[in-house]
């Protein structure tokens, strides 16, 4: 029981279109308010009754923690988190980089306790009970009682609850002699779980578990029967059928939520799933059980899986590095996901009908089927190929649409992404090229000696926000990455971007800075052979037929010298991007003095702009010493956007800047209040998009 004093507040909603919605996520967990308390002194805790569900589940959690600690003693640090996830479903200690590699290859389902884990558990326990000469009825009863305990000890995720409910129902039906096909068990499990918790319907794990299980029940038999009937390679063909069907069924849900698919995922699942499920996991579970009674014996048994894990990690890392086979997919509409699954169901149905006709003809007596006039009998599959061909063609069309949904879209878009106290602007040109200006960055104020406060998987703006958002919008490569300057609030999020999304070229201010994030970013670009272009005033670049870029600042360094510059603000890249007939101005973090220098450096023919700037990015997040009157008089912006954090301590944007913008008649948007600001650009002009 807890008593707390604090302030009630609504959880924050999504501030970027299609971005993570914290309020919606908490609502799915039946949480609708936040209570903000000032420190632990505002919280009083007292033990509640021992018999409540929470208290009993707390004891299960304690048991899981005890088992997890024992697993840590059996395996080295680089393997213990993986084995805890594999055997116990404890995923908090997984290495984030290792998890990302498994995710790229579509292997994270191995780390989620599911039907395969329950099946292995039942097989092992059933074999042990048979060795003890127990009767069939007692074995079934023992397994029924053991499954709920295993579900609780493995974390009770939706996937393992589904498998556990199906297993218990199947065991009950088997004991009563009324076991039917798996579809009945699957439907009963879904009904039971949704009655208990209707919110599970929106859970990704719940959706994937039921969709894949349904696909395996319906799709594996016809796909396997369509394959050759080899006696020696039967096991391999069975595994191939399961792997292919699982990939086809999970594909739409995977790209809908995770926006990526690796072509080597099929190979990785074919090789690793049986190896991990039937070798590594049983050895790990057995080592854990032995260690509970005799720790040296458990460690001795675990040694075998040490080498197996090393081989697994090496293979996963090797396959995940092959970026040529990794594809990024924009989030498809829900109707597309439903259409894919329906068409896939029709494909399985037609395959099954074709196999049944072939079997019927093969089983018939040749004399009964021989025609009287000596003509050969009609082929059993004659005419059956056309519907199958139509289904395959429909699937191909659906794939093409999902991969390039905006192929014919000629609208440009400029998005000022809300990355907190930092800058990040994504530009899509009329012909589908992508430009990214800066990547935000979470600043760290950790003092020496406080490293213990760092989380094992800290929030990082690039990996947690920017990369998922770009992938969700179908950005498969960045044609030009503009680094305005090397301050952390502009570049720290870019490291995850360049590591995840291919970049064709980087335009930066031509300097270096003695900071870890700056050195790491530039070194990575050099190592990956990404062209680096030093910005220089007067540089022009045609992006496509209706998009061009012009650099206004800084001046080009003599002889291409790259100099060190610790104070980067005044060396920011200032540029304009023209889309159709509209101009956007980006100016990094320069102040009013540099603004005057930029104006004075422009050629005489550009002493006054030919037309007002459509949209201007306010310099330095609205600092008091930027966006001066002379700058506004020169560019005459119709609209301006200031990228600023909602809880920043700098006082940005400064009231003087807001006043100057108001007096100049410039419409102002702020990411701290308005969230992401998106502009649609067409030949007729610029329009503000509503955030979706």
């Amino acid at each position: 029981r807890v008593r707390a004093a604090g302030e009630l507040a609504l959880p924050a909603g999504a501030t970027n279109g299609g971005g993570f919605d914290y309020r919606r996520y908490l609502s799915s967990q039946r949480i609708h308010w936040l209570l903000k308390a000032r420190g632990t002194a505002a919280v009083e805790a007292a033990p509640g009754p021992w018999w409540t569900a929470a208290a009993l589940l707390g004891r299960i959690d304690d048991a899981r923690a005890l088992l997890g600690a024992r697993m840590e003693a059996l395996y080295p640090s680089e393997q213990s988190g993986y084995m805890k996830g594999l055997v116990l479903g404890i995923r908090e200690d997984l290495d984030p980089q290792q998890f990302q590699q498994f995710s790229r290859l579509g292997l994270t389902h191995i780390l989620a306790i599911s039907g395969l884990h329950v099946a292995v558990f039942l097989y092992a326990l059933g074999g042990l009970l048979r060795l003890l000469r127990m009767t069939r009825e007692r074995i079934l009863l023992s397994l029924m009682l053991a499954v709920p305990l295993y579900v609780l000890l493995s974390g009770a995720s939706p996937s393992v609850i589904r498998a556990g409910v199906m297993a218990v129902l199947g065991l009950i039906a088997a004991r009563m002699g009324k076991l039917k096909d798996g579809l009945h068990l699957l439907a009963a499990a879904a009904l039971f779980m949704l009655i208990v918790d209707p919110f599970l319907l929106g859970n990704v794990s719940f959706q994937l578990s039921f969709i894949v299980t349904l696909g395996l029940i319906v799709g594996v038999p016809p796909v396997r029967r369509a394959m050759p009937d080899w006696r020696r390679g039967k096991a391999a063909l069975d595994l191939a059928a399961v792997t292919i069907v699982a990939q086809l069924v999970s594909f739409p849900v995977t790209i809908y939520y995770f926006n990526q698919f690796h072509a080597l995922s099929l190979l990785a699942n074919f090789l690793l799933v049986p190896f991990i499920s039937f070798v590594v996991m049983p050895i790990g579970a057995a080592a854990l059980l032995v260690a509970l009674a005799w720790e040296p014996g458990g460690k001795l048994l675990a040694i075998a899986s040490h080498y197996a894990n090393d081989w697994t990690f090496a293979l996963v890392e090797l396959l995940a590095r092959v970026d040529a086979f990794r594809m990024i997919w924009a989030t498809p509409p829900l109707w597309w996901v439903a259409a894919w699954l329906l068409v896939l169901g029709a494909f399985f149905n037609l395959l099954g009908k074709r196999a049944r006709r072939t079997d019927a003809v093969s089983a018939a007596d040749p004399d009964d089927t021989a025609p009287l006039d000596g003509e050969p009998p009609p082929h059993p599959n004659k005419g059956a190929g056309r519907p199958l061909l139509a289904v395959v063609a429909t699937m191909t069309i659906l794939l093409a649409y999902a991969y390039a949904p905006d192929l014919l879209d000629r609208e440009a878009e400029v998005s000022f992404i809300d990355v907190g106290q930092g800058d990040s602007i994504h530009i899509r040109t009329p012909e589908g090229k992508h430009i990214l200006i800066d990547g935000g960055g979470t600043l760290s104020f950790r003092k020496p000696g406080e490293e213990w406060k760092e989380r094992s998987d800290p929030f990082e703006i690039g990996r947690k926000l920017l990369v998922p958002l770009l992938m969700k919008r179908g950005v498969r490569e960045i044609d030009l990455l503009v680094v305005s300057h090397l301050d952390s609030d502009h570049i720290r999020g870019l490291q995850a971007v360049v590591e995840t999304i291919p970049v064709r070229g980087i335009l930066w201010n031509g300097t270096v800075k003695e900071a870890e994030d700056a050195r790491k970013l530039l070194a990575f670009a050099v190592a990956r052979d990404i062209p680096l272009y030093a910005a220089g005033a007067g540089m022009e670049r045609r992006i496509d037929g209706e998009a061009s870029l012009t650099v206004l600042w800084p001046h080009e360094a003599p002889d291409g010298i790259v100099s060190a510059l610790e104070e980067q603000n005044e060396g920011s890249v200032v540029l304009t991007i023209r889309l159709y007939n509209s101009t956007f101005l980006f100016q990094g973090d320069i102040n009013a003095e540099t603004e005057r220098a930029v104006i004075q450096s422009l050629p005489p023919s550009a002493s006054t702009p030919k037309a007002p700037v459509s949209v201007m990015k306010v310099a330095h997040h609205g600092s008091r010493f930027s966006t001066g009157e002379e700058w506004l008089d020169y560019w005459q912006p119709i609209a301006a956007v200031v990228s600023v954090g909602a809880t920043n301590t700098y006082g940005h944007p400064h009231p003087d800047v807001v006043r100057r913008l108001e007096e100049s008649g410039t419409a102002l948007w702020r990411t701290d209040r308005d969230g992401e600001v998106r502009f649609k650009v067409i030949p007729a002009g610029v329009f503000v998009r509503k955030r979706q």
Side-chain angles (χ1 to χ4, degrees):
R1 291 179 176 175
V2 176
R3 175 183 296 168
E7 177 186 357
L8 274 177
L10 276 173
T15 60
N16 292 298
F20 177 67
D21 192 332
Y22 187 47
R23 183 182 301 172
R24 183 177 179 181
Y25 166 74
L26 288 182
S27 178
S28 71
Q29 307 299 309
R30 302 183 181 185
I31 299 171
H32 308 289
W33 292 89
L34 298 178
L35 182 67
K36 299 181 179 180
R38 286 187 173 273
T40 56
V43 180
E44 299 176 11
W50 66 267
W51 43 264
T52 63
L56 296 175
L57 290 175
R59 288 173 172 78
I60 296 292
D61 288 339
D62 292 339
R64 293 184 74 216
L66 177 64
L67 293 174
R70 191 58 59 92
M71 189 70 81
E72 289 178 354
L74 296 176
Y75 289 90
S77 58
E78 64 273 11
Q79 294 187 13
S80 60
Y82 167 74
M83 291 303 295
K84 286 163 67 176
L86 186 64
V87 177
L88 300 170
I90 301 174
R91 302 173 64 171
E92 290 80 4
D93 296 328
L94 279 170
D95 180 0
Q97 185 176 358
Q98 189 179 81
F99 180 80
Q100 188 176 18
Q101 291 175 345
F102 273 76
S103 177
R104 282 192 176 190
L105 293 171
L107 291 170
T108 51
H109 63 90
I110 295 177
L111 303 174
I113 308 296
S114 60
L116 190 58
H117 296 72
V118 174
V120 172
F121 169 75
L122 291 176
Y123 179 80
L125 183 58
L128 178 63
L129 295 178
R130 280 191 293 271
L131 288 176
L132 298 176
R133 302 294 181 90
M134 290 183 66
T135 63
R136 178 178 179 273
E137 289 74 15
R138 288 187 176 182
I139 290 176
L140 291 175
L141 180 60
S142 300
L143 294 179
M144 276 185 259
L145 297 175
V147 167
L149 179 62
Y150 179 76
V151 169
L152 290 173
L153 284 175
S154 60
S157 65
S159 59
V160 73
I161 292 175
R162 188 270 310 159
V165 172
M166 288 185 67
V168 170
L169 292 176
L171 291 167
I172 293 174
R175 195 167 190 271
M176 298 174 63
K178 296 183 178 181
L179 182 61
K180 294 186 178 181
D181 63 272
L183 288 176
H184 291 79
L185 300 179
L186 185 67
L191 186 62
F192 170 78
M193 292 176 67
L194 290 176
I195 289 175
V196 174
D197 185 4
F199 284 88
L200 282 174
L201 193 60
N203 184 283
V204 181
S205 178
F206 177 89
Q207 294 172 11
L208 270 173
S209 180
F210 276 92
I211 288 173
V212 172
T213 305
L214 175 62
L216 292 175
I217 293 172
V218 173
V220 169
V223 170
R224 179 62 187 92
R225 291 169 73 180
M227 292 179 170
D229 191 12
W230 296 340
R231 292 184 179 180
R232 292 187 177 181
K234 184 178 182 300
L237 289 174
D238 290 344
L239 178 59
V242 171
T243 305
I244 291 170
V245 171
Q247 293 286 303
L248 287 173
V249 174
S250 63
F251 172 73
V253 184
T254 299
I255 66 171
Y256 182 83
Y257 285 111
F258 308 113
N259 304 107
Q260 60 180 331
F261 179 78
H262 206 295
L264 295 179
S265 174
L266 191 67
L267 176 63
N269 277 272
F270 181 82
L271 295 176
L272 291 176
V273 168
F275 177 69
I276 294 174
S277 301
F278 298 110
V279 177
V280 178
M281 188 185 72
I283 291 176
L288 179 61
L289 291 175
V290 171
L292 292 176
W294 183 37
E295 185 168 328
K299 288 184 176 181
L300 188 63
L301 187 58
I303 290 176
S305 55
H306 289 185
Y307 297 105
N309 289 338
D310 288 336
W311 298 334
T312 299
F313 298 160
L315 181 59
V316 168
E317 184 178 4
L318 177 65
L319 295 178
R321 280 184 178 179
V322 187
D323 285 335
F325 290 94
R326 177 174 164 269
M327 295 175 285
I328 295 174
W329 299 70
T331 300
L334 281 174
W335 68 260
W336 184 93
V337 177
W340 174 270
L341 293 174
L342 288 173
V343 174
L344 188 61
F347 175 74
F348 293 148
N349 184 47
L350 289 172
L351 269 186
K353 287 182 177 179
R354 186 173 183 174
R356 285 192 294 272
R357 281 196 295 267
T358 302
D359 293 345
V361 171
S362 300
D365 188 330
D367 294 335
D368 294 338
T369 58
L372 297 176
D373 57 3
E375 292 291 329
H379 193 276
N381 293 323
K382 186 177 181 180
R386 291 180 180 177
L388 202 58
L389 186 62
V391 168
V392 172
T394 304
M395 294 173 68
T396 304
I397 294 171
L398 287 172
L399 275 178
Y401 172 80
Y403 190 70
D406 56 357
L407 182 64
L408 303 178
D409 185 5
R410 290 296 176 261
E411 291 181 355
E413 184 172 89
V414 179
S415 302
F416 293 81
I417 300 171
D418 179 16
V419 291
Q421 187 67 14
D423 279 5
S424 187
I425 302 101
H426 170 231
I427 301 167
R428 180 193 181 273
T429 70
E431 296 181 11
K433 300 292 183 67
H434 294 280
I435 303 171
L436 182 66
I437 303 177
D438 293 339
T442 306
L443 299 179
S444 176
F445 299 99
R446 191 81 67 216
K447 298 178 181 178
E450 295 183 340
E451 290 78 10
W452 60 273
K453 294 183 179 180
E454 192 72 28
R455 295 183 179 183
S456 59
D457 186 18
F459 177 81
E460 199 282 304
I461 203 77
R463 184 165 57 90
K464 298 286 190 178
L465 187 153
L466 190 56
V467 168
L469 198 63
L470 293 174
M471 291 172 60
K472 186 177 285 287
R473 296 175 183 178
V475 180
R476 288 187 287 274
E477 68 175 8
I478 295 172
D479 297 273
L480 182 64
L481 174 61
V482 179
V483 180
S484 67
H485 59 295
L486 297 174
D487 282 350
S488 295
D489 58 335
H490 289 252
I491 68 164
R492 188 163 286 180
L494 291 179
Q495 189 64 41
V497 173
V498 297
E499 290 177 356
T500 309
I501 302 175
V503 176
R504 299 185 62 180
I506 297 177
L507 177 69
W508 101 115
N509 65 358
T511 69
V512 293
K513 179 182 178 181
E514 284 299 319
E516 181 182 356
D517 47 14
R519 290 197 305 268
K520 186 177 180 182
L521 178 64
L522 295 176
F524 184 88
V526 172
R528 288 294 181 95
D529 292 325
I530 301 174
L532 284 160
Y533 306 102
M539 179 186 295
E540 295 185 357
R541 179 166 179 167
R542 173 70 62 176
I543 307 299
D544 62 29
E546 298 294 343
S548 60
L549 176 150
T550 302
V551 176
L552 307 179
W553 187 265
H555 291 302
E556 188 174 359
D559 301 324
I561 296 174
V562 177
S563 59
L565 184 65
E566 292 305 307
E567 296 297 330
Q568 288 269 321
N569 285 347
E570 308 316 317
S572 296
V573 177
V574 180
L575 54 84
T576 60
I577 293 180
R578 190 165 184 82
L579 303 168
Y580 287 122
N581 303 312
S582 303
T583 303
F584 288 74
L585 173 65
F586 305 95
Q587 59 209 76
D589 280 358
I590 62 173
N591 64 17
E593 183 178 345
T594 306
E595 291 171 356
R596 286 190 292 271
V598 172
I599 295 174
Q600 293 169 5
S601 67
L602 294 174
S605 59
S607 57
T608 57
K610 297 178 181 178
V613 167
S614 303
V615 179
M616 177 185 75
K617 187 206 82 83
V618 176
H620 204 181
H621 321 291
S623 167
R624 179 183 183 181
F625 304 105
S626 63
T627 318
E629 294 180 1
E630 185 178 354
W631 187 254
L632 292 172
D633 290 341
Y634 180 83
W635 294 108
Q636 303 172 26
I638 298 172
V641 179
V642 55
S643 185
V644 61
T647 57
N648 78 89
T649 58
Y650 306 101
H652 294 163
H654 196 276
D656 290 351
V657 174
V658 176
R659 175 184 55 78
R660 288 197 289 267
L661 289 166
E662 290 176 349
E663 291 176 352
S664 67
T666 304
L668 177 64
W669 281 269
R670 300 168 46 165
T671 58
D672 61 336
R673 294 181 182 177
D674 304 310
E676 180 187 18
V677 185
R678 304 174 72 177
F679 296 96
K680 177 182 72 173
V681 187
I682 59 176
V686 179
F687 302 87
V688 180
R689 285 190 186 274
K690 291 184 178 179
R691 190 169 70 250
Q692 298 177 347

